[in-house]
Amino acid sequence: MSASAGAATTASQEAGAAILSEATEAQAAIVIVSQESGTREVLHREMSKRYSADYQIVACGQPAELAARMRDLRAAGLPVALVIGGVGAQDPDGVEVLAAVRDIDPAALRVAAVGWGDWQSVRSVFNAVTLGTLDHWVTCPAQAPAEEFHRSIAEFLREWGSQRGGGFEAAQVIGEQWSARSQELRDLFSRHRVPAGFYDAASGHGRQILRDLGLEAAELPVVVLRFAAKRSVLANPSNQQIADAFGVMTPIPPGEVFDVAVVGAGPAGLAAAVGASSEGLSTVVVEHEAVGGQAGTSSMIRNYPGFSQGISGAMLAQEAWRQAWAFGTTFVYMRQVTNLSGNGGHYQLRLSDGGILAARSVIIATGVAYRRLGIPALEELQGRGVFYGTAASEAPAMRGRRVFVAGGGNSAGQAALHLAKWARQVTILVRAPSLAASMSDYLIRQIGAAPNIDVRYGVQVTGGTGTSAGHLQSLLLQDTASEQQRTVPADALFVLIGAQPRTQWLDHTAARDRWGFILTGPDLPASAHARWPAGRPPLPLETSLPGVFAAGDVRRGSVKRVASAVGEGAATVPLLHRYLARAAATTPRPRGPVTPSRPAPPKPRAPQPPLPAELGAQPAAR
Ligand SMILES: Cc1cc2nc3c(=O)[nH]c(=O)nc-3n(C[C@H](O)[C@H](O)[C@H](O)COP(=O)(O)OP(=O)(O)OC[C@H]3O[C@@H](n4cnc5c(N)ncnc54)[C@H](O)[C@@H]3O)c2cc1C
């Protein structure tokens, strides 16, 4: 600890006043708050040792000082990155003190420091994290060096820095603040974890950048890629043009036939790519939107094994993408696979840019598109009282709360029953006049018997509000018949209004159920088995086309979770080996160039050739 920090610590011990350490280069601050001097000192010491060059370290002995201290820091041009607070016997209202930080500075991350072995406090901390009133927790360091503690702190600081922006900008977007395309581009860069700065074209800075580029009259938005030696400047580019300008696409040699082509780079596709390429299979992944799929849109995935603090979906995806890339996977970005057909012992995948890829086997991991409410006020509260698609991990935090479930299907019914174990009251909101057509009878009966579940029919969510701390507070419900609206207090809303598998592009190739989910292995109808050409039953996860597998949310019967999608993606790899070994023994490899693998001019869609007999072409079971 520096001499000045040490002197300040003494002052704090005596008077419970703030401790300030000198950090001439500081760009931001870390604030410690605890009434317990031991906790305060150990946190201050550890923080000062590692971070005082970049952050001003401030400690408060009294929660009442916190707001004034944070305002002073802001006035001095030092935004607060983290507030780390004690919880437990000495800080009995520690969770509430941290929760109130949202009112003072919504951007500061709130971290509870739990004493080693304080199992009493930890449950309330977990609940607060699930509800979003705390951001993270950390175990107080017991001795130096406290590498585990600092690993967490460094990660929190990184999270704060990436949310705040303003650092290194690999890309700049200059566009209209509220245009849909500007929003799409911000989302695209953020999901790919590319540090990008956005500048409103109407602002002084935005106009200046456009002037410097000589692009005052250019079509907006303008995208500047600044990391390459030669800067790329693109006016109103398509996603594909941006991907190409990035220079990360590996050229595919003409005639290349991959061992496996993976369609979709969500968790299932990425796991399949990591597994396949790490085991020596030549692998190509085609991704239409953003690496990470649905998971990449989740700001914090808390139920993925191995990440006790949760992990942002974009970060999880980026790590898996890097891993696959390092193992040799070829990625084709911002292209959609529009058709699958067979040709000469291998499959052909037609891409949206007109290019064609060839592969001996295929993994379809195209996921589902969750239906969203599309209500901006509620989208902003996602993860802070508004939840999509999953109720299991949040349920224990609903103890004693008023919870709403939007949706009338089985998933909504199951979620309501699960939530009712903890919640004070669960209300299912259904647009239809009855559940009979959309939910299984056993669930309807269980719901009818549950004392704390009620169902409101003929009603839909049309709006909502949050508290000043940024948590869901109320919902606006509209009667579908009378269109009358009323506001109800709400602590949480779980949205389960359906999901659509992304399989339309398969036309009549792989067999699907009536909702479009792909049938695999034992789910395939007997008719598919009878016509199976390979002289063997389909492998688990294998579709009605031999050598074409499906993994993740797109597969009928899949569990709609990140971990399950990853598991299924990984599980396809030994199956690929079995299929490829057998195919190699029975099918001669094609000689010479097979098909152009670089983009060809787009062609109008023509009726697709039937799949060859050796690949087992069959119509989809509908
Ligand atoms: C907002 C939100 C939050 C969630 N939070 C959690 C959570 O906390 N915990 C949890 O376990 N689960 C969560 N889920 C569910 C979880 O994200 C999914 O179960 C998981 O992502 C499924 O992975 P997947 O690879 O099967 O499909 P997806 O993630 O849907 O990925 C499919 C990919 O395929 C691409 N694609 C589709 N069609 C084509 C095509 N024709 N050509 C090329 N590419 C194509 C898509 O662009 C997409 O990137 C959440 C989902 C959402 C929407």
Side-chain angles (χ1 to χ4, degrees):
M1 191 188 302
S2 68
S4 58
T9 304
T10 312
S12 168
Q13 281 169 309
E14 285 168 0
I19 304 169
L20 295 176
S21 64
E22 298 303 322
T24 47
E25 301 296 319
Q27 307 284 318
I30 295 172
V31 179
I32 296 152
V33 56
S34 174
Q35 297 179 63
E36 214 264 310
S37 60
T39 303
R40 214 164 54 234
E41 274 171 36
V42 77
L43 290 173
H44 186 268
R45 186 177 63 236
E46 287 299 329
M47 292 298 179
S48 301
K49 272 196 307 194
R50 300 278 176 117
Y51 311 106
S52 58
D54 294 322
Y55 299 88
Q56 181 135 326
I57 316 293
V58 177
C60 295
Q62 293 301 324
E65 296 171 7
L66 185 61
R69 189 66 53 201
M70 288 179 70
R71 285 193 197 101
D72 289 349
L73 287 164
R74 196 190 309 150
L78 289 173
V80 176
L82 306 182
V83 179
I84 307 180
V87 291
Q90 305 295 323
D91 288 294
D93 54 354
V95 170
E96 290 74 24
V97 169
L98 286 168
V101 164
R102 190 49 71 83
D103 291 337
I104 310 165
D105 180 352
L109 291 181
R110 302 147 304 167
V111 182
V114 184
W116 175 250
D118 183 4
W119 317 129
Q120 298 290 331
S121 307
V122 91
R123 177 45 57 194
S124 61
V125 167
F126 289 164
N127 284 346
V129 168
T130 307
L131 278 173
T133 49
L134 279 186
D135 295 298
H136 295 292
W137 64 277
V138 72
T139 308
C140 261
Q143 66 175 58
E147 299 306 342
E148 193 58 33
F149 171 80
H150 288 296
R151 192 171 72 99
S152 298
I153 298 295
E155 176 51 31
F156 304 154
L157 290 171
R158 187 211 56 76
E159 181 184 331
W160 178 78
S162 72
Q163 282 171 9
R164 181 166 180 257
F168 164 66
E169 291 174 355
Q172 286 178 332
V173 180
I174 307 102
E176 288 160 322
Q177 178 74 42
W178 304 119
S179 86
R181 184 60 183 151
S182 294
Q183 157 63 29
E184 266 171 33
L185 288 176
R186 287 194 292 262
D187 182 58
L188 187 74
F189 284 120
S190 133
R191 284 172 71 185
H192 282 102
R193 292 178 53 78
V194 174
F198 177 80
Y199 297 89
D200 184 353
S203 71
H205 201 157
R207 279 200 303 271
Q208 183 63 47
I209 298 175
L210 290 175
R211 250 196 313 276
D212 293 347
L213 294 168
L215 289 176
E216 288 114 309
E219 212 179 328
L220 296 174
V222 167
V223 174
V224 187
L225 304 181
R226 310 166 77 225
F227 50 88
K230 190 173 169 297
R231 248 186 349 184
S232 292
V233 180
L234 308 163
N236 193 19
S238 66
N239 290 357
Q240 196 177 307
Q241 286 169 321
I242 296 172
D244 292 349
F246 249 77
V248 286
M249 297 257 287
T250 317
I252 298 172
E256 175 90 16
V257 181
F258 289 91
D259 288 327
V260 57
V262 182
V263 190
L270 288 170
V274 169
S277 52
S278 71
E279 294 187 18
L281 298 178
S282 62
T283 307
V284 62
V285 176
V286 186
E287 171 52 48
H288 167 45
E289 287 167 12
V291 168
Q294 297 165 68
T297 67
S298 176
S299 58
M300 192 56 71
I301 294 170
R302 296 202 180 272
N303 60 347
Y304 190 75
F307 293 91
S308 61
Q309 294 283 348
I311 180 164
S312 89
M315 182 138 184
L316 186 67
Q318 198 190 41
E319 288 299 319
W321 165 73
R322 278 190 190 159
Q323 212 174 354
W325 196 24
F327 279 126
T329 297
T330 300
F331 281 88
V332 176
Y333 303 97
M334 305 295 176
R335 269 85 172 164
Q336 192 172 8
V337 175
T338 57
N339 178 260
L340 175 68
S341 61
N343 183 12
H346 57 264
Y347 285 100
Q348 282 194 334
L349 294 91
R350 182 170 289 278
L351 307 185
S352 46
D353 66 359
I356 291 175
L357 289 173
R360 296 181 183 90
S361 63
V362 177
I363 299 172
I364 302 172
T366 48
V368 298
Y370 269 96
R371 292 203 187 94
R372 309 200 46 115
L373 286 171
I375 300 167
L378 293 177
E379 296 296 322
E380 271 178 27
L381 294 169
Q382 194 187 316
R384 288 180 284 128
V386 177
F387 304 95
Y388 276 96
T390 175
S393 52
E394 281 79 18
M398 298 299 137
R399 194 181 298 277
R401 295 175 189 279
R402 293 154 306 181
V403 174
F404 289 79
V405 175
N410 277 359
S411 52
Q414 283 162 357
L417 285 164
H418 186 58
L419 290 161
K421 293 176 196 159
W422 287 273
R424 170 157 48 104
Q425 185 65 32
V426 178
T427 303
I428 303 177
L429 305 171
V430 197
R431 289 165 59 130
S434 145
L435 284 173
S438 56
M439 195 181 285
S440 297
D441 184 57
Y442 79 96
L443 286 171
I444 297 175
R445 278 189 276 133
Q446 282 180 26
I447 287 166
N452 62 339
I453 303 183
D454 64 318
V455 185
R456 289 200 198 158
Y457 298 100
V459 71
Q460 65 183 34
V461 182
T462 51
T465 60
T467 61
S468 56
H471 192 272
L472 180 69
Q473 183 174 38
S474 72
L475 291 173
L476 190 60
L477 305 181
Q478 178 174 293
D479 186 293
T480 48
S482 67
E483 297 193 349
Q484 273 188 341
Q485 297 200 330
R486 69 191 185 100
T487 300
V488 292
D491 296 313
L493 170 69
F494 291 83
V495 185
L496 295 120
I497 53 176
Q500 176 82 37
R502 290 170 146 165
T503 53
Q504 295 85 340
W505 60 279
L506 280 166
D507 286 338
H508 293 281
T509 52
R512 285 169 282 162
D513 70 10
R514 67 190 169 105
W515 293 281
F517 288 97
I518 299 176
L519 300 171
T520 53
D523 281 343
L524 285 165
S527 55
H529 283 247
R531 281 179 284 134
W532 191 261
R536 59 171 174 85
L539 296 166
L541 305 180
E542 199 170 19
T543 68
S544 59
L545 306 174
V548 177
F549 298 82
D553 282 11
V554 76
R555 198 179 64 78
R556 177 190 161 123
S558 61
V559 180
K560 308 289 184 283
R561 296 286 182 280
V562 178
S564 325
V566 166
E568 288 193 8
T572 54
V573 178
L575 305 175
L576 288 177
H577 281 302
R578 276 166 71 182
Y579 169 77
L580 290 170
R582 196 184 163 104
T586 54
T587 314
R589 293 207 162 196
R591 290 199 194 91
V594 179
T595 177
S597 54
R598 296 308 300 150
K603 290 184 190 143
R605 274 187 83 143
Q608 296 308 315
L611 289 164
E614 70 269 28
L615 291 175
Q618 313 157 26
R622 300 251 186 164

